[in-house]
Amino acid sequence: MTELIAFGILSFTTFFTIINPLGVMPIFMTMTSDLDQASRKATAKKAILASFVTILIFAFTGQILFTFFGISVNSFRVVGGIIFFLMGMDMLQARLGKVKVQESEIKTYVNDISITPLAIPMICGPGAITNAIVMMEDAQTAEMKAVLIGAIIVVMGITLAILLSAGKIIKILGQTGNNVLMRLMGLIIMVIAIEFFLSGFKPIFQDIIAGR
């Protein structure tokens, strides 16, 4: 029982830290600022559902998929870093805040951003996928696997609650506050992007030098 509790705490803390719901929130706020409350909620729910399903798929089949397609986690980090950097550039110039969505296009827009970039790679990025694969390998028993899945569900629930409360935060901050927060988070995301890119590129480059 003690081992299960320790594993559950470890699973929760690692996923919560890697997913970082508070870091996802400003991007969600910015990209949904022109949507009504119902559409914003639909976007959040679809993003969480897509993230949860993706994490579970990689948790159970990650090693098989990576081996079959010859994909490395480091390559995933490089791609994630590039996506983050481009997103950070747009946020730094407040481009995301200028997106205007026509009423007839709301459904398509919600479907688009709920999958990319909100679900992948913001919520379910290389770190979360890697962590899911590693933690599932460490879960030797059915009980530990259940605890791991439970921890993921709890983290996703917390993330959903934070995203659903973003509408109130938008009203409090106003357009100016939202733009300031967006630029600040854009800088932070660009720094994270560089770290992601380098952490993935460095081992790939070392393998190239070694002639592997």
Side-chain angles (χ1 to χ4, degrees):
M1 180 61 71
T2 303
E3 184 180 1
L4 281 178
I5 294 175
F7 183 74
I9 294 174
L10 176 63
S11 300
F12 172 80
T13 53
T14 52
F15 272 107
F16 187 83
T17 303
I18 291 173
I19 291 175
N20 187 17
L22 294 176
V24 177
M25 184 182 66
I27 298 173
F28 175 79
M29 289 168 55
T30 300
M31 300 194 75
T32 61
S33 59
D34 291 325
L35 301 180
D36 56 34
Q37 190 67 17
S39 298
R40 191 178 295 120
K41 287 183 178 180
T43 302
K45 291 177 180 179
K46 288 181 180 180
I48 293 298
L49 179 60
S51 301
F52 179 67
V53 171
T54 302
I55 287 178
L56 283 188
I57 290 175
F58 275 98
F60 285 100
T61 66
Q63 286 291 352
I64 299 174
L65 289 174
F66 280 8
T67 302
F68 181 79
F69 290 106
I71 302 172
S72 69
V73 175
N74 292 323
S75 299
F76 216 82
R77 288 195 180 102
V78 170
V79 174
I82 294 173
I83 293 174
F84 276 16
F85 188 86
L86 294 176
M87 189 183 304
M89 283 287 290
D90 284 343
M91 292 179 68
L92 190 63
Q93 299 175 46
R95 290 177 183 169
L96 294 180
K98 297 179 180 179
V99 176
K100 298 296 181 182
V101 185
Q102 301 296 327
E103 186 174 348
S104 60
E105 301 173 345
I106 285 180
K107 185 176 181 180
T108 301
Y109 182 75
V110 167
N111 289 333
D112 287 345
I113 68 170
S114 62
I115 303 301
T116 304
L118 292 178
I120 304 170
M122 291 308 302
I123 298 175
C124 178
I129 290 174
T130 304
N131 191 57
I133 295 173
V134 173
M135 295 297 290
M136 186 58 74
E137 288 185 348
D138 292 341
Q140 301 296 328
T141 65
E143 289 80 5
M144 293 180 73
K145 294 182 188 297
V147 168
L148 175 60
I149 295 174
I152 296 173
I153 292 175
V154 172
V155 172
M156 288 298 169
I158 294 174
T159 304
L160 177 60
I162 291 175
L163 294 184
L164 291 179
S165 65
K168 298 178 181 178
I169 299 175
I170 291 177
K171 292 180 180 179
I172 295 174
L173 291 178
Q175 186 60 45
T176 301
N178 193 39
N179 285 339
V180 170
L181 183 60
M182 178 173 58
R183 286 185 168 92
L184 178 61
M185 291 306 302
L187 284 173
I188 295 175
I189 287 175
M190 289 175 74
V191 173
I192 294 174
I194 296 299
E195 292 293 333
F196 262 68
F197 182 86
L198 291 179
S199 66
F201 181 76
K202 183 178 179 180
I204 293 176
F205 183 73
Q206 289 175 339
D207 287 344
I208 294 175
I209 296 299
R212 297 178 185 176

